[in-house]
Amino acid sequence: MSFLRCAILVVSFSGLALVGEVDGQDSEHLALDSPFASFVEDDFPFFSQTVDARNFGDKPEVENLTPRGLVFPIGDSWVACFDPDLLRWALIWRADEDGNYLSMDGMAPGSYRLPNRKSSAGQDSLPRPFGTPVWANPILPGWGTGETPPTEDPRDRGTAEKGEVGLGPIPADQGRFSGIRLVEGGFLLEYEISGVSISETLRLFSPAEDGEPMLRRTIKIAPHEEPLHLQVGEHTHFLSLNKLSLAAKDGWAVLAPSNNETYVTQFFGDSRYALTDHAIDIIPADTPPPRRWEESVTVGETRAEPAATPLVFDDLAVPDDNPWKRNVRLGGFDFFPDGRAAFCTFDGDVWITSPIGIEQEEVTWSRFASGLHEPQSLELVDGVIQVFDRNGLVRLHDFDGNGEADWYENFNNTVTQTAETREFPMDMVESRGGSFFLAKGGQVGTTRGRENGTIVEVAPDGRSHTVTATGLRQPYLGYNRELDLLTATDQQGHWKPATPVYRIEEGAYYGFQPAKQKDEAIHPAAIELPGIWIPHFINGSAAGQIWTTDSTAIGPFTSGLIHIGYNRPELFEVLLDESGKQGAVVSLISGFPSGILKARINPVDRHLYAAGFEIWGTSANRITGLFRIRPTGEPSWAPELARAEKRGVRLRFRQKLDPAQAGLLTGYSVERWNYRQTHNYGSGNFKLDGTPGQESLPVASVLIDEDERGIFLGIPDMRPSDALRITYRIPAATSTAIESVFLSVFELEEIDLTTAGFSTDQVDLKIDATLAQVADMVEATPELGAEIAMRYGCIACHATDPNASPAPGAQVQVGPAWHDLWGKRREFTDGSFIRNADAAYLRESILNPGIRVAEGYAMQKTGVGMPSYLGVLKEHEIDSIIYYIESLAKKK
């Protein structure tokens, strides 16, 4: 590597940090056609991003990858990246002549100005620096104590694969990152080395009128009894103004013990000017900066029209039209006791609103913080905002009370974080004991870290954590404070045949293994069953959960677990059996215009609020959204109880049913199927004998309970199954509507129906032969294919309109576009090809999608696979989809 010269100076003074401006960080990123400005705001002191400098410069540090990079655009083309895990400056460099200094290849920046642009899975396509390297350090701690400097990475590798550098922080007794303090004109990094307090900053200064501005690093070191070793690199000059003993060897400076506060200054640039009076610097820690974002944004809402449904949603505007042209992709949020709310965005910002509620028609949003690393979760802890991002748990303090954060405290970073683009900080919940459960993404495209795909518990003091559960793919959490019960969703994928909802047990293993393991994956323990498998065609992609209480204003629905669907934005009610032997799920409300990820209960109006954004495939058409879900007073015919037993299924409703309508055998249909939990992506549907498909079960009889709110369907040959679908005509006198409830039945019991409110325990299981009918053959049509594509969420991954496809510069699409598929040449990842995509190829892709994967859509790149629809779609449905794809080509 070709370095510019640098020098070190030890003085007894301190230093002031100033931040200049850099014109741009990635010309390609800035050239995209977008209503939003750059992901990076050059007038903010820092942003968080992975920085891959493994191939930067003529002689790069070959392992110089910083998963938790803190990037500081200092000004005059100077940029620096600090590694808070190893407490080292990983890289200092100069931008190129066009002002480019870092590619926008991270998941958040890559999709910021173009939502369809995604980062590839793994660690091979990460943000990389542009320009000229000045100083780079190896994967070693930036400091050491004792007689010799550190020569090895002291972090425990645990189960991390060879070559993985995302091992979390160094041991706490050797050093701990404290946080970033914003001060007038700049920033301070604060940390400890073996209990010794350190603060430092970078700033520019001009040594002479005709001299080029230099970069100056100033470090304040508390009194210390042991020698300290400071990583300074090869090209170093020293001057001791207060006769402090200082020596350097092999890139390390040794600071002798001192009873006084010590200041060290390191220079980058023309060393002729380093050893001058210009080296004196001052570091004030008690001068917070003035407000950066004085303007606020006031937005309104669109109230839902009256509807004959039990729930509707109000569409609350977000401040995406703001003075800074910031994209506002809402992730986690929480409410203050007075109804104000705090939101984090996937792009690292935090906003605080005026009170939100049913009485407010307008809401004012103000910016509070920025620079965070792809956060999706936010909690209020004793009134302090805490965010879970890739850097860990960050607490945001506003010490001067001006409405903006000035101390970004590292509350916990002991949980490891790799540079894997899919190791998202998925979710966070606070337990009633004051600890925090964190859910971490588990997909792995290259090397595996220590805690991918785990749920961990962080101690109340933030200084340690333990692993609670393993084997998760992309989990989101729910927590019932009254029961002290932790639940989680996960995503269909490898070893995940459908969408599961789990009761999380300490030490449990839930089965996910990365795609690269294929059928050679070794499971460390028995795979725990979920409380329920939600079929993929009902909920193709799971998101967050929330436990409601009796006081929640959610109409006829009582306290329970609300599950969020993302692919087709929807809310579900999950009925978990306490024994874990079975569970059920029903749809509550759908049709949201943006993806939703998280939900909260407003403490003032008690309504449920949901928010989210687009990052993967969703049938919604908006980037982000915030919604109030409220009851209309209309009844719900979703059952409040659904339970299978040896002789059939019991359903109980929230109001009286019509006995004549409810008693019709023709008003019900029942199907069941199993899944296969394998290394394949998802699973088809299989009959209980192992053949593909679904089994139809006849309903022999219907019993109605004494208060006319419940029914029991007598069904012969009841057996455990992964999925049991009960479709029923709503049991109201004038209704023709249809509803469905889905169960997973892992074990069957027999109950005495008289104890459940029925007048008899006798169930007729004889089939009336006159009711046995064969369904008419349904004609396959393109129109039916379009309907099925919408129903099963196909359009969330496959574009059907050329104008809706990703614009030029899109890095990753989830699936091949359908509008440009029929009759075209297809090339595959194994090197094979077909001359034109025809009905045979499409049928194969639907039933066995992994056999030939289109070039550019490998799991390693997209992070998402397509499940088999073997046994899920009927023949006429498959034919209809094929006809629909063919019709798209004819429209061009």
Side-chain angles (χ1 to χ4, degrees), residues 2 12 38 45 80 93 140 217 234 269 287 323 337 401 426 438 445 471 492 564 577 592 726 764 782 788 805 878:
S2 58
S12 56
S38 171
W93 75 105
L140 290 173
R217 175 192 184 191
E234 299 176 358
T287 56
M426 300 292 296
L438 309 181
Q492 183 200 51
I564 300 174
D577 181 62
F592 297 93
I726 313 295
D764 184 1
I788 293 167
S805 295
I878 295 173

mmCIF file of all heavy atoms in Angstrom, residues 2 12 38 45 80 93 140 217 234 269 287 323 337 401 426 438 445 471 492 564 577 592 726 764 782 788 805 878:
data_model
loop_
_atom_site.group_PDB
_atom_site.id
_atom_site.type_symbol
_atom_site.label_atom_id
_atom_site.label_comp_id
_atom_site.label_asym_id
_atom_site.label_seq_id
_atom_site.Cartn_x
_atom_site.Cartn_y
_atom_site.Cartn_z
ATOM 1 N N SER A 2 0.545 2.191 -0.798
ATOM 2 C CA SER A 2 1.299 3.444 -0.835
ATOM 3 C C SER A 2 0.669 4.434 0.133
ATOM 4 O O SER A 2 -0.453 4.865 -0.042
ATOM 5 C CB SER A 2 1.286 4.023 -2.259
ATOM 6 O OG SER A 2 -0.037 4.232 -2.674
ATOM 7 N N SER A 12 0.635 18.072 26.256
ATOM 8 C CA SER A 12 -0.159 18.126 27.477
ATOM 9 C C SER A 12 -1.367 19.023 27.302
ATOM 10 O O SER A 12 -1.873 19.593 28.251
ATOM 11 C CB SER A 12 0.710 18.655 28.629
ATOM 12 O OG SER A 12 1.252 19.909 28.269
ATOM 13 N N SER A 38 -28.808 12.058 -1.438
ATOM 14 C CA SER A 38 -27.853 11.002 -1.169
ATOM 15 C C SER A 38 -28.177 10.305 0.152
ATOM 16 O O SER A 38 -28.665 10.924 1.106
ATOM 17 C CB SER A 38 -26.443 11.584 -1.090
ATOM 18 O OG SER A 38 -25.523 10.622 -0.618
ATOM 19 N N PRO A 45 -21.775 14.381 11.057
ATOM 20 C CA PRO A 45 -20.396 13.957 11.312
ATOM 21 C C PRO A 45 -20.071 12.517 10.936
ATOM 22 O O PRO A 45 -18.914 12.207 10.656
ATOM 23 C CB PRO A 45 -20.249 14.150 12.830
ATOM 24 C CG PRO A 45 -21.269 15.166 13.182
ATOM 25 C CD PRO A 45 -22.422 14.926 12.259
ATOM 26 N N ALA A 80 -12.403 8.628 7.129
ATOM 27 C CA ALA A 80 -11.835 7.662 8.063
ATOM 28 C C ALA A 80 -12.908 6.679 8.511
ATOM 29 O O ALA A 80 -14.090 7.026 8.605
ATOM 30 C CB ALA A 80 -11.236 8.379 9.279
ATOM 31 N N TRP A 93 -8.371 7.384 4.399
ATOM 32 C CA TRP A 93 -8.099 7.484 2.967
ATOM 33 C C TRP A 93 -8.566 8.816 2.409
ATOM 34 O O TRP A 93 -9.244 9.582 3.084
ATOM 35 C CB TRP A 93 -8.707 6.297 2.230
ATOM 36 C CG TRP A 93 -10.196 6.250 2.020
ATOM 37 C CD1 TRP A 93 -10.859 6.481 0.855
ATOM 38 C CD2 TRP A 93 -11.212 5.871 2.958
ATOM 39 N NE1 TRP A 93 -12.218 6.291 1.008
ATOM 40 C CE2 TRP A 93 -12.465 5.906 2.294
ATOM 41 C CE3 TRP A 93 -11.209 5.512 4.314
ATOM 42 C CZ2 TRP A 93 -13.673 5.612 2.917
ATOM 43 C CZ3 TRP A 93 -12.407 5.208 4.940
ATOM 44 C CH2 TRP A 93 -13.620 5.257 4.249
ATOM 45 N N LEU A 140 -6.315 -6.387 14.323
ATOM 46 C CA LEU A 140 -5.755 -6.459 15.678
ATOM 47 C C LEU A 140 -6.357 -5.319 16.493
ATOM 48 O O LEU A 140 -6.801 -4.318 15.923
ATOM 49 C CB LEU A 140 -4.228 -6.305 15.657
ATOM 50 C CG LEU A 140 -3.393 -7.446 15.062
ATOM 51 C CD1 LEU A 140 -1.926 -7.026 14.987
ATOM 52 C CD2 LEU A 140 -3.535 -8.711 15.893
ATOM 53 N N ARG A 217 -5.234 13.648 14.249
ATOM 54 C CA ARG A 217 -5.901 12.781 15.229
ATOM 55 C C ARG A 217 -5.408 13.168 16.617
ATOM 56 O O ARG A 217 -4.208 13.137 16.881
ATOM 57 C CB ARG A 217 -5.574 11.318 14.952
ATOM 58 C CG ARG A 217 -6.126 10.341 15.984
ATOM 59 C CD ARG A 217 -5.510 8.953 15.791
ATOM 60 N NE ARG A 217 -6.080 7.964 16.700
ATOM 61 C CZ ARG A 217 -5.592 6.748 16.891
ATOM 62 N NH1 ARG A 217 -4.488 6.369 16.226
ATOM 63 N NH2 ARG A 217 -6.168 5.908 17.731
ATOM 64 N N GLU A 234 3.541 2.421 10.155
ATOM 65 C CA GLU A 234 4.981 2.377 9.878
ATOM 66 C C GLU A 234 5.615 3.750 9.773
ATOM 67 O O GLU A 234 6.758 3.954 10.164
ATOM 68 C CB GLU A 234 5.217 1.609 8.577
ATOM 69 C CG GLU A 234 4.727 0.167 8.639
ATOM 70 C CD GLU A 234 4.887 -0.531 7.307
ATOM 71 O OE1 GLU A 234 5.338 0.131 6.354
ATOM 72 O OE2 GLU A 234 4.551 -1.722 7.222
ATOM 73 N N GLY A 269 -0.468 13.649 6.325
ATOM 74 C CA GLY A 269 -0.259 14.677 5.324
ATOM 75 C C GLY A 269 1.219 14.992 5.213
ATOM 76 O O GLY A 269 2.074 14.132 5.399
ATOM 77 N N THR A 287 -19.649 20.765 25.020
ATOM 78 C CA THR A 287 -20.221 21.777 24.132
ATOM 79 C C THR A 287 -21.024 21.093 23.035
ATOM 80 O O THR A 287 -20.528 20.895 21.923
ATOM 81 C CB THR A 287 -19.105 22.632 23.492
ATOM 82 O OG1 THR A 287 -18.189 21.757 22.810
ATOM 83 C CG2 THR A 287 -18.360 23.421 24.546
ATOM 84 N N PRO A 323 -37.415 18.744 4.008
ATOM 85 C CA PRO A 323 -36.393 19.671 3.495
ATOM 86 C C PRO A 323 -35.083 19.003 3.122
ATOM 87 O O PRO A 323 -34.300 19.570 2.354
ATOM 88 C CB PRO A 323 -36.194 20.653 4.671
ATOM 89 C CG PRO A 323 -37.438 20.565 5.467
ATOM 90 C CD PRO A 323 -37.901 19.148 5.345
ATOM 91 N N PRO A 337 -45.645 7.891 26.763
ATOM 92 C CA PRO A 337 -46.928 7.819 27.491
ATOM 93 C C PRO A 337 -47.957 8.839 27.020
ATOM 94 O O PRO A 337 -49.161 8.600 27.140
ATOM 95 C CB PRO A 337 -46.517 8.070 28.947
ATOM 96 C CG PRO A 337 -45.103 7.617 29.036
ATOM 97 C CD PRO A 337 -44.501 7.970 27.696
ATOM 98 N N GLY A 401 -31.022 19.048 25.723
ATOM 99 C CA GLY A 401 -32.457 19.271 25.612
ATOM 100 C C GLY A 401 -32.898 20.062 24.404
ATOM 101 O O GLY A 401 -33.979 20.663 24.421
ATOM 102 N N MET A 426 -32.802 -8.121 13.313
ATOM 103 C CA MET A 426 -34.199 -8.287 12.959
ATOM 104 C C MET A 426 -35.163 -7.615 13.936
ATOM 105 O O MET A 426 -36.044 -6.860 13.544
ATOM 106 C CB MET A 426 -34.546 -9.777 12.871
ATOM 107 C CG MET A 426 -33.741 -10.556 11.841
ATOM 108 S SD MET A 426 -34.104 -10.099 10.148
ATOM 109 C CE MET A 426 -35.808 -10.581 10.016
ATOM 110 N N LEU A 438 -32.949 -10.201 21.522
ATOM 111 C CA LEU A 438 -32.609 -9.748 20.182
ATOM 112 C C LEU A 438 -32.712 -10.923 19.221
ATOM 113 O O LEU A 438 -32.301 -12.042 19.552
ATOM 114 C CB LEU A 438 -31.181 -9.194 20.132
ATOM 115 C CG LEU A 438 -30.778 -8.142 21.162
ATOM 116 C CD1 LEU A 438 -29.328 -7.714 20.932
ATOM 117 C CD2 LEU A 438 -31.710 -6.946 21.116
ATOM 118 N N GLY A 445 -24.276 -16.409 3.133
ATOM 119 C CA GLY A 445 -23.851 -16.620 1.762
ATOM 120 C C GLY A 445 -22.391 -17.000 1.650
ATOM 121 O O GLY A 445 -21.983 -17.633 0.681
ATOM 122 N N GLY A 471 -30.887 -21.783 15.224
ATOM 123 C CA GLY A 471 -31.552 -22.420 14.089
ATOM 124 C C GLY A 471 -32.668 -21.607 13.484
ATOM 125 O O GLY A 471 -33.604 -22.160 12.906
ATOM 126 N N GLN A 492 -40.124 -18.870 5.614
ATOM 127 C CA GLN A 492 -39.968 -20.082 4.837
ATOM 128 C C GLN A 492 -38.633 -20.053 4.104
ATOM 129 O O GLN A 492 -38.183 -19.011 3.645
ATOM 130 C CB GLN A 492 -41.107 -20.210 3.816
ATOM 131 C CG GLN A 492 -41.043 -21.505 3.018
ATOM 132 C CD GLN A 492 -41.828 -21.440 1.732
ATOM 133 O OE1 GLN A 492 -41.650 -20.503 0.953
ATOM 134 N NE2 GLN A 492 -42.702 -22.395 1.500
ATOM 135 N N ILE A 564 -47.967 -10.497 11.827
ATOM 136 C CA ILE A 564 -47.927 -9.610 10.666
ATOM 137 C C ILE A 564 -47.381 -10.366 9.465
ATOM 138 O O ILE A 564 -46.303 -10.964 9.525
ATOM 139 C CB ILE A 564 -47.049 -8.377 10.949
ATOM 140 C CG1 ILE A 564 -47.604 -7.587 12.129
ATOM 141 C CG2 ILE A 564 -46.956 -7.483 9.711
ATOM 142 C CD1 ILE A 564 -46.712 -6.440 12.572
ATOM 143 N N ASP A 577 -52.122 -23.145 21.197
ATOM 144 C CA ASP A 577 -52.538 -24.046 22.266
ATOM 145 C C ASP A 577 -51.450 -24.098 23.329
ATOM 146 O O ASP A 577 -50.265 -24.210 23.019
ATOM 147 C CB ASP A 577 -52.780 -25.444 21.678
ATOM 148 C CG ASP A 577 -53.227 -26.428 22.732
ATOM 149 O OD1 ASP A 577 -54.297 -26.221 23.321
ATOM 150 O OD2 ASP A 577 -52.483 -27.402 22.974
ATOM 151 N N PHE A 592 -53.178 -3.503 2.923
ATOM 152 C CA PHE A 592 -52.318 -2.347 3.217
ATOM 153 C C PHE A 592 -51.501 -1.986 1.977
ATOM 154 O O PHE A 592 -50.985 -2.866 1.282
ATOM 155 C CB PHE A 592 -51.381 -2.675 4.380
ATOM 156 C CG PHE A 592 -52.092 -2.946 5.678
ATOM 157 C CD1 PHE A 592 -52.443 -4.240 6.037
ATOM 158 C CD2 PHE A 592 -52.420 -1.916 6.531
ATOM 159 C CE1 PHE A 592 -53.098 -4.502 7.225
ATOM 160 C CE2 PHE A 592 -53.076 -2.159 7.727
ATOM 161 C CZ PHE A 592 -53.422 -3.457 8.080
ATOM 162 N N ILE A 726 -59.915 -25.518 7.199
ATOM 163 C CA ILE A 726 -61.372 -25.577 7.310
ATOM 164 C C ILE A 726 -61.928 -24.345 6.597
ATOM 165 O O ILE A 726 -61.699 -23.206 7.028
ATOM 166 C CB ILE A 726 -61.850 -25.565 8.777
ATOM 167 C CG1 ILE A 726 -61.042 -26.554 9.628
ATOM 168 C CG2 ILE A 726 -63.346 -25.835 8.854
ATOM 169 C CD1 ILE A 726 -61.221 -27.983 9.241
ATOM 170 N N ASP A 764 -71.827 -38.190 14.991
ATOM 171 C CA ASP A 764 -72.123 -39.063 13.861
ATOM 172 C C ASP A 764 -70.998 -38.945 12.837
ATOM 173 O O ASP A 764 -70.770 -37.871 12.286
ATOM 174 C CB ASP A 764 -73.463 -38.666 13.237
ATOM 175 C CG ASP A 764 -73.886 -39.597 12.110
ATOM 176 O OD1 ASP A 764 -73.141 -40.562 11.823
ATOM 177 O OD2 ASP A 764 -74.940 -39.337 11.505
ATOM 178 N N PRO A 782 -56.138 -17.326 -18.701
ATOM 179 C CA PRO A 782 -55.160 -16.311 -18.283
ATOM 180 C C PRO A 782 -55.701 -15.444 -17.150
ATOM 181 O O PRO A 782 -54.938 -15.040 -16.254
ATOM 182 C CB PRO A 782 -54.934 -15.489 -19.555
ATOM 183 C CG PRO A 782 -55.337 -16.377 -20.672
ATOM 184 C CD PRO A 782 -56.442 -17.232 -20.151
ATOM 185 N N ILE A 788 -54.680 -15.951 -9.480
ATOM 186 C CA ILE A 788 -53.877 -16.861 -8.650
ATOM 187 C C ILE A 788 -52.524 -16.238 -8.332
ATOM 188 O O ILE A 788 -52.014 -16.352 -7.214
ATOM 189 C CB ILE A 788 -53.717 -18.212 -9.380
ATOM 190 C CG1 ILE A 788 -55.073 -18.915 -9.488
ATOM 191 C CG2 ILE A 788 -52.712 -19.112 -8.657
ATOM 192 C CD1 ILE A 788 -55.074 -20.082 -10.434
ATOM 193 N N SER A 805 -40.606 -2.743 -13.518
ATOM 194 C CA SER A 805 -39.353 -3.449 -13.292
ATOM 195 C C SER A 805 -38.312 -2.508 -12.705
ATOM 196 O O SER A 805 -38.412 -1.295 -12.852
ATOM 197 C CB SER A 805 -38.826 -4.035 -14.602
ATOM 198 O OG SER A 805 -39.699 -5.020 -15.089
ATOM 199 N N ILE A 878 -52.090 -24.365 -12.305
ATOM 200 C CA ILE A 878 -50.782 -24.300 -12.965
ATOM 201 C C ILE A 878 -50.952 -23.872 -14.422
ATOM 202 O O ILE A 878 -50.246 -22.986 -14.924
ATOM 203 C CB ILE A 878 -50.067 -25.661 -12.872
ATOM 204 C CG1 ILE A 878 -49.749 -26.002 -11.414
ATOM 205 C CG2 ILE A 878 -48.784 -25.646 -13.706
ATOM 206 C CD1 ILE A 878 -49.194 -27.398 -11.219
#
